Amino acid sequence: MSEGFSLVVRFTLRDEKAAAGFDELCARTLEGIKASEPRTLAYVIHTPEGEPLVRVFYELYADRAAFDAHEDQSHTKRFLAEREQYLAGVEVTFLDAIAGKVAAQK
């Protein structure tokens, strides 16, 4: 299965104040993603149960070019520049899909 290009990013935040600032930054960034990235198929932010200072992003793009276009957006560049002040750590995992179901694109 070679549909899409996906990754998971795990952010560990410094403290509760940092988490609130990071969540606000994410909300602003999501506005830009929703408005101008039709080939970003999923961009979902999760908080793992019992880990209030962790955010896990699941990102699914139509292909590598869609991911590259996402990275080139002004809202993404702002996110990347501003996120460091809130972080204690970050882990990025690129995924190779081997099986699954993806909703049809409109």
Side-chain angles (χ1 to χ4, degrees):
M1 178 177 181
S2 62
E3 290 195 35
F5 179 84
S6 56
L7 60 146
V8 173
V9 186
R10 181 182 176 93
F11 295 101
T12 303
L13 305 164
R14 295 181 191 274
D15 54 32
E16 290 178 8
K17 183 177 178 183
F22 185 80
D23 291 343
E24 183 179 315
L25 176 61
C26 291
R28 291 193 320 262
T29 304
L30 275 170
E31 289 174 11
I33 292 168
K34 290 175 184 179
S36 62
E37 296 187 26
R39 293 173 46 81
T40 297
L41 306 179
Y43 195 97
V44 184
I45 302 168
H46 307 268
T47 300
E49 260 185 56
E51 296 183 79
L53 297 181
V54 173
R55 301 296 180 271
V56 176
F57 287 24
Y58 173 71
E59 304 176 32
L60 175 63
Y61 301 89
D63 51 30
R64 178 62 195 235
F67 170 75
D68 292 340
H70 163 77
E71 292 286 292
D72 199 40
Q73 298 292 316
S74 60
H75 51 264
T76 301
K77 289 179 179 180
R78 182 185 66 235
F79 174 80
L80 294 172
E82 293 183 19
R83 71 182 186 175
E84 294 303 319
Q85 64 188 309
Y86 305 117
L87 300 180
V90 61
E91 299 172 35
V92 179
T93 304
F94 291 94
L95 305 170
D96 289 325
I98 57 171
K101 176 191 177 296
V102 177
Q105 295 181 31
K106 293 182 181 181

